[in-house]
Amino acid sequence: MSNPTIESRTSPAATAPAATTVMSMQQALNRALDEVLADNPKAVIFGEDCGRLGGVFRITDGLQAKHGEQRVFDTPLAESGILGMSVGLAMAGFHPIPEVQFDGFAYPAINQIVCQIARMNYRSRGTLPMPITLRVPSFGGIRAPEHHGESLEALFAHVPGLKVVSPSTPHEAYHLLKYAATRPDPVIFMEPKSRYWQKGEVDPATHDADGGSPTGAKVMREGRHLTLVAWGAMVARCLQVAELAAEDGIDIEVLDLRWLKPIDAAALAASVRKTRRAVVVHEAPLTSGLGAEVAQLITQSCFDTLRAPVERVTGFDVPYPSGDLEDEYIPNIDRILFGIQRVLEYKRG
Amino acid sequence: MDTLPLAVSGGDAGPLTPAELRELYTLMVAVRHLDTSAIAWQRQGIIPGYAPELGQEAAQVGSGYAVDTTRDFVFPTYREMGVARTMGVDMVGYMSTHKATWHGGLYNPLESRLAPIQAVVAGSVLHAVGWAHGQTLENSDGGTTGVALTYFGDGASSQGDVHEALNFAAVMKAPVVFFVQNNGWAISVPTERQVAGGSVAARAAGYGMPALQIDGDDVVAVVEATRRAFAHARAGNGPVLIEAMTYRRGPHSTSDDPGRYRSLDEERDGAGEDPLERLRKRLLADGIADEAFFAEALAAAKAEEEHIRNGIQALGSRPGTEMFDLVFQETTPALQAQAANWREESEHV
């Protein structure tokens, strides 16, 4: 098979799919939380400003008014306190859904997350489960101040006892949050804040029309020549890239990993065994990022069929830059296309 | 210092009966004997390490004695053996953590009402607040609640989590009793180099919380103070801080050498009169107990120690499968694969 080449890099016109229920990711998350509170009397939502204000991103908007101050409440401003309190509430039989207001504010709570939440089930030999869904507005793309845009997925995924998930669309946000918030284990729920106001079709009845596992990855676009692996906000960008590449006859598959721990290794293998080429795209820094884990999983399952080493297009090993440099840092369309090109043009030595 | 209002009417505070005083002595002897024996076990190679509590028997037995194990919950650190014994926790299960059988011990935290042993100082203080707030949520109709009793030391009081816990509890009026055992030493650092102002109790006022600073070597004073604090918190008046002034007569742990940071003269001066001897004199003076009773209590303690030693010596290692099975309530494919590999490779050897 000859390697397709890339010429055009113009942006496609955004075409919203026809929808029966169109809502933003913010609305989808809000609706999911509303339903979780209605379904589970033990579910409680708390954090900084998530009560009366409804959260700085309005994800919890109106929930206190509807469900009461016992179920949705404001805490003092202290992230370790919020997460440590979650442990005690879980021990008392509640299903805490705490929020840290911005990703970088999870750092002051790392001790409670890593030493306590992640280990309590193990430490207590399963008698004290930690059904905690930690919502973390995550990643960059909104020109925010320092510590308001971080990509913590590799850090959390590395910790035994934690699960990590990130939605890419309003539909995924609705279903993944509803699923996460009913699990008996701690889940770090990373919301791509740059996608909060993007609208999309939500089908509340069915998560995966093809009956896929709620813990699995999902093919967002079928393709034959190469697999783009992404999560969170990068999924939409990879879909854009795939549209552009299609104009040049390159047929790209886009796999939304969805769960960053556990990673759906079977879906990765299935996609790459079909396309024989893969590029992982993430906003987090390159070194020791999840791209390395994904690349290794692909290598292990697809070594014999791979046409080129797995490429990574990522953020850089630098502190998250100010807004002016954000577009240079986050993988953009051009950088992803270059990554694709490197894979397509790879020649065995 | 005593800033706690007089006991609420109908509280469970009351003078100790002769039978209770004898029971306290029996408990203190059992704890003293088990504690000194555990050090011997370590020297004999029966257990790899232990954190002694010599001199803190009155603080631990007295406070643990106030717990109602049908509704309260206790959050220990790693030095609360006396509390565990007083609460009736299975001591083989408790000591198994020092045997290095399982982090957190083998006792059932839910049944015993004692959270798993905690090695991160201040780690569990916030858990107590979360658990206590859960009591508030469940008793919002005005019913009486369980109380969380959380232990920490003068050293841990330097940790941010303690400050967050005190503030959270006070803001939320959570039914928590913060029990500080000020034993004079945070490993090698004396209280005056650890606690600005020289008193943890004095800080409570800054959180709008009543506090009691008590003679932690007087078991009667400890029981009465803890009962008052429990009654106050149980009645919905919010948290109380008790600072029990005591002295760590032994090393921090069986790996520690106090000779490097304090002289024997300093040790004698700091320790004061032995809390066990104090109670013995009091019982004799009040005609509540005689030499035959003391001999009987010691014999019972020796028999109990032997039973516990036999129990932990009979403990085998936990099956390796538990390492994998107890991480999550819902396991992951990666963990299952690792467990399968482990099984295969260890069977092959």
Side-chain angles (χ1 to χ4, degrees):
Chain A
M1 189 183 90
S2 65
N3 288 332
T5 55
I6 296 162
E7 284 158 17
S8 167
R9 283 180 200 157
T10 52
S11 295
T15 50
T20 49
T21 314
V22 173
M23 61 177 87
S24 66
M25 184 182 282
Q26 174 265 334
Q27 290 169 321
L29 290 165
N30 183 264
R31 177 168 172 175
L33 290 174
D34 186 12
E35 292 176 9
V36 167
L37 287 172
D39 292 346
N40 181 2
K42 288 292 188 182
V44 282
I45 292 172
F46 50 93
E48 295 156 14
D49 307 301
C50 66
R52 285 174 72 178
L53 180 67
V56 295
F57 291 108
R58 306 293 184 269
I59 308 303
T60 53
D61 194 23
L63 297 180
Q64 186 180 66
K66 183 171 176 184
H67 297 278
E69 293 183 15
Q70 308 271 320
R71 309 286 308 282
V72 182
F73 54 92
D74 290 319
T75 65
L77 196 165
E79 287 76 15
S80 191
I82 293 166
L83 274 300
M85 183 178 166
S86 302
V87 174
L89 278 165
M91 289 170 73
F94 286 84
H95 194 129
I97 309 176
E99 173 185 297
V100 299
Q101 204 159 65
F102 285 90
D103 33 39
F105 303 166
Y107 291 127
I110 288 291
N111 170 43
Q112 285 294 337
I113 297 170
V114 174
C115 293
Q116 307 300 334
I117 290 175
R119 288 169 182 246
M120 194 60 85
N121 187 73
Y122 191 75
R123 184 185 288 147
S124 71
R125 303 176 54 74
T127 58
L128 299 173
M130 290 286 112
I132 296 168
T133 310
L134 171 57
R135 290 185 38 252
V136 188
S138 293
F139 316 116
I142 62 164
R143 300 279 192 273
E146 193 175 11
H147 309 307
H148 291 62
E150 304 273 323
S151 302
L152 307 176
E153 61 269 41
L155 194 151
F156 288 132
H158 192 64
V159 177
L162 299 179
K163 295 176 181 177
V164 187
V165 65
S166 187
S168 60
T169 67
H171 179 79
E172 295 299 321
Y174 171 81
H175 285 285
L176 288 173
L177 183 54
K178 282 199 75 172
Y179 182 78
T182 53
R183 304 331 303 158
D185 291 311
V187 178
I188 312 292
F189 192 85
M190 302 179 69
E191 299 168 1
K193 58 177 94 84
S194 67
R195 305 294 297 174
Y196 273 149
W197 314 110
Q198 299 292 317
K199 294 192 170 180
E201 189 181 348
V202 175
D203 177 1
T206 312
H207 188 186
D208 296 327
D210 59 1
S213 160
T215 58
K218 188 171 183 176
V219 175
M220 304 301 265
R221 184 189 198 279
E222 300 257 13
R224 292 173 295 127
H225 296 150
L226 181 144
T227 300
L228 282 176
V229 184
W231 51 89
M234 288 299 98
V235 173
R237 187 152 294 175
C238 287
L239 288 168
Q240 276 184 298
V241 168
E243 290 298 322
L244 282 173
E247 293 172 15
D248 298 322
I250 304 165
D251 191 14
I252 286 180
E253 178 148 311
V254 177
L255 186 72
D256 178 358
L257 210 53
R258 301 204 294 194
W259 288 86
L260 311 176
K261 186 183 184 181
I263 290 177
D264 185 351
L268 265 182
S271 178
V272 180
R273 290 196 80 82
K274 181 175 72 173
T275 64
R276 311 176 86 175
R277 297 176 176 86
V279 176
V280 196
V281 180
H282 63 64
E283 296 187 42
L286 176 78
T287 301
S288 301
L290 269 193
E293 182 70 24
V294 170
Q296 165 59 12
L297 288 170
I298 293 171
T299 303
Q300 210 167 6
S301 56
C302 308
F303 184 69
D304 51 342
T305 53
L306 277 178
R307 287 299 183 96
V310 179
E311 271 289 335
R312 293 180 286 170
V313 180
T314 72
F316 303 111
D317 291 358
V318 301
Y320 198 90
S322 292
D324 276 358
L325 291 171
E326 198 173 49
D327 291 341
E328 303 300 322
Y329 175 86
I330 300 175
N332 55 29
I333 288 172
D334 283 352
R335 284 178 55 211
I336 298 169
L337 285 170
F338 274 121
I340 291 168
Q341 195 169 7
R342 288 197 295 275
V343 170
L344 293 177
E345 294 176 355
Y346 175 80
K347 298 275 190 295
R348 285 175 195 274
Chain B
M1 177 189 295
D2 185 344
T3 60
L4 185 65
L6 287 174
V8 289
S9 60
D12 38 3
L16 288 162
T17 65
E20 286 178 318
L21 289 167
R22 279 192 296 269
E23 189 182 6
L24 286 167
Y25 183 85
T26 307
L27 286 164
M28 282 176 67
V29 169
V31 168
R32 167 69 56 89
H33 193 72
L34 184 55
D35 186 64
T36 48
S37 296
I39 296 171
W41 301 346
Q42 193 273 333
R43 306 301 187 225
Q44 295 159 11
I46 297 173
I47 60 177
Y50 179 69
E53 60 179 67
L54 186 69
Q56 296 179 223
E57 294 88 353
Q60 299 204 356
V61 170
S63 55
Y65 198 70
V67 174
D68 177 352
T69 53
T70 65
R71 54 180 168 173
D72 301 326
F73 211 95
V74 176
F75 297 78
T77 68
Y78 46 78
R79 201 191 298 287
E80 268 71 67
M81 187 274 282
V83 179
R85 171 62 186 83
T86 304
M87 291 171 65
V89 174
D90 166 44
M91 294 311 285
V92 174
Y94 181 90
M95 282 292 179
S96 66
T97 194
H98 299 299
K99 178 108 188 308
T101 306
W102 195 265
H103 294 314
L106 291 174
Y107 57 94
N108 184 317
L110 281 178
E111 288 169 7
S112 64
R113 313 297 282 178
L114 182 72
I117 290 165
Q118 172 65 247
V120 173
V121 291
S124 53
V125 182
L126 279 163
H127 307 172
V129 177
W131 186 90
H133 187 62
Q135 301 303 296
T136 306
L137 294 180
E138 286 188 335
N139 294 282
S140 54
D141 54 356
T144 61
T145 71
V147 173
L149 174 63
T150 178
Y151 288 87
F152 57 98
D154 43 310
S157 79
S158 301
Q159 292 259 344
D161 274 3
V162 165
H163 298 276
E164 295 189 17
L166 292 169
N167 188 50
F168 269 56
V171 166
M172 298 187 302
K173 287 187 90 174
V176 186
V177 174
F178 296 95
F179 195 92
V180 184
Q181 288 174 90
N182 186 337
N183 69 10
W185 296 92
I187 304 190
S188 67
V189 178
T191 301
E192 64 266 24
R193 302 290 301 163
Q194 187 73 242
V195 181
S199 162
V200 183
R203 293 176 182 169
Y207 299 101
M209 185 188 304
L212 298 164
Q213 193 181 46
I214 57 171
D215 180 349
D217 294 338
D218 176 356
V219 71
V220 174
V222 176
V223 174
E224 287 175 354
T226 314
R227 282 181 170 177
R228 278 178 66 199
F230 266 72
H232 181 87
R234 207 184 298 285
N237 299 310
V240 181
L241 187 145
I242 298 172
E243 184 177 22
M245 305 307 289
T246 181
Y247 194 83
R248 196 196 77 213
R249 290 166 174 251
H252 163 75
S253 75
T254 45
S255 305
D256 179 33
D257 173 14
R260 293 176 71 94
Y261 52 82
R262 70 187 187 196
S263 68
L264 284 174
D265 282 344
E266 284 170 332
E267 220 168 88
R268 262 192 300 274
D269 290 347
E273 192 180 7
D274 181 343
L276 187 58
E277 188 56 27
R278 272 173 72 169
L279 181 59
R280 178 189 160 95
K281 281 184 187 166
R282 179 169 181 163
L283 295 182
L284 278 173
D286 293 354
I288 290 173
D290 54 18
E291 290 300 337
F293 170 79
F294 298 135
E296 196 182 321
L298 181 60
K302 283 181 175 170
E304 182 180 316
E305 180 268 317
E306 190 180 343
H307 173 75
I308 296 165
R309 174 165 41 80
N310 289 338
I312 68 160
Q313 282 185 298
L315 274 180
S317 294
R318 303 305 307 169
T321 47
E322 288 188 348
M323 192 163 59
F324 304 97
D325 293 345
L326 297 174
V327 179
F328 292 113
Q329 294 279 317
E330 294 178 333
T331 190
T332 68
L335 211 42
Q336 284 176 305
Q338 289 169 37
N341 279 348
W342 164 81
R343 212 173 294 121
E344 194 175 313
E345 289 167 7
S346 48
E347 276 170 10
H348 185 70
V349 173

